[in-house]
Amino acid sequence: MILAYCNQKGGVGKSTTVYHHARAAILDGQRVLVIDADPQGNITSVLTEDMQEGDVGVADALSSRSSDTLADVLVPGIWEGLTVAPTVGDNLADVRNELVISSEPGRESRLRAQLAAIQTEYDLVLIDCGPAIDPLTISALTAADAVVIVSQSKLWSVNGLAKLMNTVSLVREHYNPRLTVAGLVLNAHEAHTLAGGHWADELTAAAEAAQLPILTPPVPKRQAIADATETARGLDEGDAQARELAAIYAAHIDQLKKGTAHV
Protein backbone atom coordinates (compact mmCIF):
# COMPACT_ATOMS: atom_id res chain seq x y z
CA MET A 1 0.00 0.00 0.00
CA ILE A 2 1.29 3.46 -0.96
CA LEU A 3 0.05 6.38 1.13
CA ALA A 4 0.65 10.08 0.46
CA TYR A 5 0.40 12.32 3.53
CA CYS A 6 -1.01 15.69 2.50
CA ASN A 7 -2.24 19.07 3.60
CA GLN A 8 -1.58 22.32 1.76
CA LYS A 9 -1.17 24.08 5.13
CA GLY A 10 2.14 23.81 6.93
CA GLY A 11 2.52 23.16 10.63
CA VAL A 12 -0.23 20.55 10.94
CA GLY A 13 2.16 17.71 11.80
CA LYS A 14 2.41 15.73 8.55
CA SER A 15 6.04 14.73 9.03
CA THR A 16 5.48 13.91 12.69
CA THR A 17 2.54 11.70 11.72
CA VAL A 18 4.60 9.94 9.04
CA TYR A 19 7.34 9.36 11.63
CA HIS A 20 5.07 7.76 14.21
CA HIS A 21 3.06 5.80 11.62
CA ALA A 22 6.35 4.42 10.25
CA ARG A 23 7.40 3.39 13.76
CA ALA A 24 4.02 1.74 14.41
CA ALA A 25 4.21 -0.18 11.12
CA ILE A 26 7.76 -1.34 11.89
CA LEU A 27 6.59 -2.64 15.28
CA ASP A 28 3.78 -4.41 13.43
CA GLY A 29 6.42 -6.30 11.46
CA GLN A 30 5.96 -4.45 8.18
CA ARG A 31 8.72 -3.53 5.74
CA VAL A 32 8.42 0.23 5.38
CA LEU A 33 9.68 2.71 2.80
CA VAL A 34 9.41 6.42 3.57
CA ILE A 35 9.77 8.81 0.62
CA ASP A 36 10.65 12.38 1.55
CA ALA A 37 8.88 14.48 -1.09
CA ASP A 38 9.03 17.64 1.05
CA PRO A 39 11.82 20.07 0.02
CA GLN A 40 12.31 20.90 3.72
CA GLY A 41 13.65 17.37 4.27
CA ASN A 42 12.40 17.14 7.84
CA ILE A 43 11.55 13.44 7.80
CA THR A 44 14.97 12.63 6.34
CA SER A 45 16.69 14.43 9.21
CA VAL A 46 15.04 12.23 11.84
CA LEU A 47 14.77 8.89 10.04
CA THR A 48 18.31 8.68 8.66
CA GLU A 49 21.87 9.07 9.90
CA ASP A 50 24.96 10.63 8.34
CA MET A 51 23.24 12.22 5.34
CA GLN A 52 25.37 14.99 3.87
CA GLU A 53 24.78 17.93 1.54
CA GLY A 54 25.22 16.68 -2.00
CA ASP A 55 24.10 13.10 -1.32
CA VAL A 56 21.71 11.73 -3.91
CA GLY A 57 18.04 11.70 -3.07
CA VAL A 58 14.48 12.01 -4.32
CA ALA A 59 15.45 15.06 -6.38
CA ASP A 60 17.85 12.97 -8.46
CA ALA A 61 15.17 10.34 -9.08
CA LEU A 62 12.67 12.94 -10.29
CA SER A 63 14.94 15.18 -12.36
CA SER A 64 15.14 14.65 -16.11
CA ARG A 65 18.77 15.79 -15.84
CA SER A 66 19.73 12.79 -13.70
CA SER A 67 20.10 9.11 -14.59
CA ASP A 68 19.49 8.00 -10.99
CA THR A 69 16.32 6.10 -10.20
CA LEU A 70 14.47 5.81 -6.92
CA ALA A 71 16.19 2.48 -6.30
CA ASP A 72 19.58 4.22 -6.61
CA VAL A 73 18.93 6.76 -3.85
CA LEU A 74 17.51 4.54 -1.08
CA VAL A 75 19.29 4.48 2.28
CA PRO A 76 18.73 2.48 5.47
CA GLY A 77 16.52 4.09 8.09
CA ILE A 78 17.22 4.28 11.80
CA TRP A 79 15.18 1.13 12.55
CA GLU A 80 15.50 -2.36 11.16
CA GLY A 81 12.92 -2.82 8.44
CA LEU A 82 12.90 0.86 7.47
CA THR A 83 14.23 2.29 4.20
CA VAL A 84 14.22 5.98 3.26
CA ALA A 85 14.29 7.85 -0.05
CA PRO A 86 15.89 11.02 1.35
CA THR A 87 15.88 14.73 0.64
CA VAL A 88 18.93 16.76 1.61
CA GLY A 89 19.71 20.41 0.86
CA ASP A 90 17.92 22.48 -1.77
CA ASN A 91 17.95 19.99 -4.62
CA LEU A 92 14.29 19.01 -4.37
CA ALA A 93 13.18 22.64 -4.42
CA ASP A 94 15.17 23.06 -7.63
CA VAL A 95 13.53 19.99 -9.15
CA ARG A 96 10.10 21.31 -8.14
CA ASN A 97 10.86 24.42 -10.18
CA GLU A 98 12.07 22.21 -13.03
CA LEU A 99 8.76 20.33 -13.00
CA VAL A 100 6.79 23.60 -12.99
CA ILE A 101 8.33 24.79 -16.25
CA SER A 102 8.75 21.37 -17.86
CA SER A 103 6.48 20.38 -20.73
CA GLU A 104 7.86 16.85 -20.83
CA PRO A 105 5.04 14.30 -21.21
CA GLY A 106 4.56 12.03 -18.22
CA ARG A 107 6.46 14.14 -15.70
CA GLU A 108 3.66 13.66 -13.16
CA SER A 109 4.05 9.87 -13.44
CA ARG A 110 7.82 9.67 -13.01
CA LEU A 111 7.65 8.79 -9.32
CA ARG A 112 4.90 6.21 -9.90
CA ALA A 113 6.91 4.46 -12.62
CA GLN A 114 10.07 4.29 -10.52
CA LEU A 115 8.20 3.20 -7.41
CA ALA A 116 6.51 0.40 -9.34
CA ALA A 117 9.92 -1.18 -9.93
CA ILE A 118 10.62 -1.59 -6.19
CA GLN A 119 7.19 -1.60 -4.55
CA THR A 120 7.05 -5.36 -4.00
CA GLU A 121 10.01 -5.11 -1.62
CA TYR A 122 7.85 -3.21 0.90
CA ASP A 123 4.60 -3.77 2.73
CA LEU A 124 3.95 -0.07 3.22
CA VAL A 125 5.18 3.06 1.44
CA LEU A 126 4.64 6.45 3.11
CA ILE A 127 5.20 9.62 1.07
CA ASP A 128 5.72 12.78 3.11
CA CYS A 129 4.45 15.68 0.97
CA GLY A 130 5.31 19.34 1.38
CA PRO A 131 2.85 22.00 2.57
CA ALA A 132 1.69 22.96 -0.92
CA ILE A 133 -0.27 21.63 -3.85
CA ASP A 134 2.66 21.74 -6.26
CA PRO A 135 4.15 19.35 -8.85
CA LEU A 136 5.84 17.31 -6.12
CA THR A 137 2.54 16.73 -4.32
CA ILE A 138 0.81 15.95 -7.62
CA SER A 139 3.56 13.41 -8.35
CA ALA A 140 3.02 11.83 -4.93
CA LEU A 141 -0.75 11.64 -5.41
CA THR A 142 -0.25 10.14 -8.85
CA ALA A 143 1.96 7.43 -7.34
CA ALA A 144 -0.21 6.71 -4.30
CA ASP A 145 -2.99 4.23 -3.72
CA ALA A 146 -4.56 6.54 -1.17
CA VAL A 147 -4.22 9.84 0.69
CA VAL A 148 -3.86 10.36 4.42
CA ILE A 149 -5.02 13.88 5.27
CA VAL A 150 -3.39 15.30 8.40
CA SER A 151 -5.40 18.14 9.89
CA GLN A 152 -6.08 20.01 13.11
CA SER A 153 -9.22 21.16 14.88
CA LYS A 154 -8.98 24.75 13.67
CA LEU A 155 -11.03 26.96 11.36
CA TRP A 156 -8.63 26.84 8.41
CA SER A 157 -8.58 23.06 8.56
CA VAL A 158 -12.29 22.92 7.83
CA ASN A 159 -11.96 25.54 5.10
CA GLY A 160 -8.95 23.81 3.54
CA LEU A 161 -10.49 20.35 3.40
CA ALA A 162 -12.66 21.16 0.36
CA LYS A 163 -9.65 22.60 -1.52
CA LEU A 164 -7.58 19.51 -0.86
CA MET A 165 -10.41 17.20 -1.90
CA ASN A 166 -10.75 19.16 -5.13
CA THR A 167 -7.07 18.47 -5.85
CA VAL A 168 -7.59 14.77 -5.10
CA SER A 169 -10.53 14.74 -7.52
CA LEU A 170 -8.47 16.40 -10.26
CA VAL A 171 -5.61 13.93 -9.80
CA ARG A 172 -8.09 11.06 -9.90
CA GLU A 173 -9.59 12.41 -13.10
CA HIS A 174 -6.37 13.15 -14.97
CA TYR A 175 -3.57 10.96 -13.58
CA ASN A 176 -4.62 8.31 -11.07
CA PRO A 177 -8.19 6.97 -11.24
CA ARG A 178 -7.57 4.49 -8.39
CA LEU A 179 -6.70 7.21 -5.85
CA THR A 180 -8.81 7.15 -2.68
CA VAL A 181 -8.72 8.76 0.76
CA ALA A 182 -7.47 6.25 3.33
CA GLY A 183 -8.24 8.42 6.31
CA LEU A 184 -8.15 11.78 8.02
CA VAL A 185 -5.92 12.21 11.08
CA LEU A 186 -7.10 14.81 13.59
CA ASN A 187 -3.72 15.89 14.95
CA ALA A 188 -2.66 17.99 17.97
CA HIS A 189 -6.25 17.91 19.19
CA GLU A 190 -7.12 19.94 22.28
CA ALA A 191 -10.36 18.29 23.34
CA HIS A 192 -10.54 20.24 26.60
CA THR A 193 -10.85 23.64 24.86
CA LEU A 194 -14.10 25.06 23.50
CA ALA A 195 -12.47 25.96 20.17
CA GLY A 196 -10.86 22.56 19.83
CA GLY A 197 -14.12 20.76 20.49
CA HIS A 198 -16.11 23.01 18.17
CA TRP A 199 -13.79 22.77 15.19
CA ALA A 200 -13.25 19.04 15.72
CA ASP A 201 -17.01 18.62 15.43
CA GLU A 202 -17.08 20.81 12.32
CA LEU A 203 -14.19 18.94 10.70
CA THR A 204 -15.73 15.57 11.53
CA ALA A 205 -19.08 16.65 10.09
CA ALA A 206 -17.40 17.91 6.90
CA ALA A 207 -15.44 14.66 6.55
CA GLU A 208 -18.51 12.51 7.11
CA ALA A 209 -20.52 14.59 4.62
CA ALA A 210 -17.81 13.94 2.04
CA GLN A 211 -17.68 10.25 3.09
CA LEU A 212 -14.05 10.57 4.15
CA PRO A 213 -12.88 7.92 6.62
CA ILE A 214 -11.54 9.19 9.94
CA LEU A 215 -8.69 7.46 11.74
CA THR A 216 -9.42 7.05 15.42
CA PRO A 217 -8.64 8.01 18.06
CA PRO A 218 -7.56 11.61 17.41
CA VAL A 219 -3.97 12.50 18.32
CA PRO A 220 -3.88 14.81 21.36
CA LYS A 221 -1.52 17.75 21.62
CA ARG A 222 1.35 16.36 23.71
CA GLN A 223 4.96 17.48 23.97
CA ALA A 224 6.08 13.86 24.22
CA ILE A 225 5.10 13.31 20.57
CA ALA A 226 7.37 16.08 19.31
CA ASP A 227 10.13 15.12 21.74
CA ALA A 228 10.20 11.53 20.49
CA THR A 229 10.39 12.72 16.87
CA GLU A 230 13.17 15.22 17.51
CA THR A 231 15.28 12.68 19.40
CA ALA A 232 14.58 9.87 16.89
CA ARG A 233 12.96 7.60 19.45
CA GLY A 234 9.75 5.62 19.38
CA LEU A 235 6.98 6.53 21.78
CA ASP A 236 6.95 2.85 22.70
CA GLU A 237 10.40 3.39 24.22
CA GLY A 238 9.13 6.04 26.64
CA ASP A 239 7.16 6.05 29.87
CA ALA A 240 3.60 4.84 30.38
CA GLN A 241 2.05 8.04 29.01
CA ALA A 242 4.27 7.89 25.91
CA ARG A 243 3.29 4.26 25.35
CA GLU A 244 -0.38 5.26 25.49
CA LEU A 245 0.32 7.73 22.69
CA ALA A 246 2.14 5.01 20.73
CA ALA A 247 -1.03 2.94 20.91
CA ILE A 248 -2.91 5.68 19.02
CA TYR A 249 -0.58 5.44 16.03
CA ALA A 250 -0.67 1.65 16.22
CA ALA A 251 -4.48 1.83 16.00
CA HIS A 252 -4.18 4.06 12.92
CA ILE A 253 -1.87 1.60 11.19
CA ASP A 254 -4.24 -1.24 11.99
CA GLN A 255 -7.15 0.70 10.50
CA LEU A 256 -5.14 1.62 7.41
CA LYS A 257 -4.06 -1.98 6.92
CA LYS A 258 -7.57 -3.35 7.32
CA GLY A 259 -9.40 -0.45 5.69
CA THR A 260 -11.58 -0.05 8.76
CA ALA A 261 -11.34 3.70 9.36
CA HIS A 262 -14.67 5.17 10.48
CA VAL A 263 -16.83 7.05 7.96
Side-chain angles (χ1 to χ4, degrees), residues 115-148:
L115 187 51
I118 60 173
Q119 182 184 351
T120 57
E121 299 177 24
Y122 306 98
D123 302 303
L124 184 63
V125 179
L126 310 180
I127 308 176
D128 187 22
C129 299
I133 304 300
D134 60 16
L136 296 174
T137 298
I138 299 300
S139 293
L141 293 174
T142 301
D145 297 313
V147 185
V148 175

Side-chain angles (χ1 to χ4, degrees), residues 71-159:
D72 296 325
V73 306
L74 301 180
V75 298
I78 58 174
W79 305 309
E80 185 177 354
L82 174 67
T83 303
V84 179
T87 285
V88 182
D90 297 326
N91 291 347
L92 192 56
D94 294 338
V95 170
R96 177 185 57 199
N97 297 335
E98 175 188 325
L99 292 172
V100 168
I101 62 176
S102 173
S103 59
E104 181 183 354
R107 62 189 183 280
E108 300 87 0
S109 302
R110 194 173 296 154
L111 179 60
R112 179 173 65 187
Q114 296 193 24
L115 187 51
I118 60 173
Q119 182 184 351
T120 57
E121 299 177 24
Y122 306 98
D123 302 303
L124 184 63
V125 179
L126 310 180
I127 308 176
D128 187 22
C129 299
I133 304 300
D134 60 16
L136 296 174
T137 298
I138 299 300
S139 293
L141 293 174
T142 301
D145 297 313
V147 185
V148 175
I149 301 170
V150 181
S151 194
Q152 293 180 342
S153 48
K154 297 181 183 294
L155 170 61
W156 49 257
S157 296
V158 178
N159 292 341

Side-chain angles (χ1 to χ4, degrees), residues 5 14 17 28 58 61 65 69 80 101 137 176 184 188-190 207 211-214 247 249:
Y5 286 65
K14 286 191 311 305
T17 303
D28 187 50
V58 173
R65 296 172 294 181
T69 67
E80 185 177 354
I101 62 176
T137 298
N176 184 4
L184 185 149
H189 180 45
E190 297 178 278
Q211 297 187 314
L212 302 180
I214 300 172
Y249 294 105

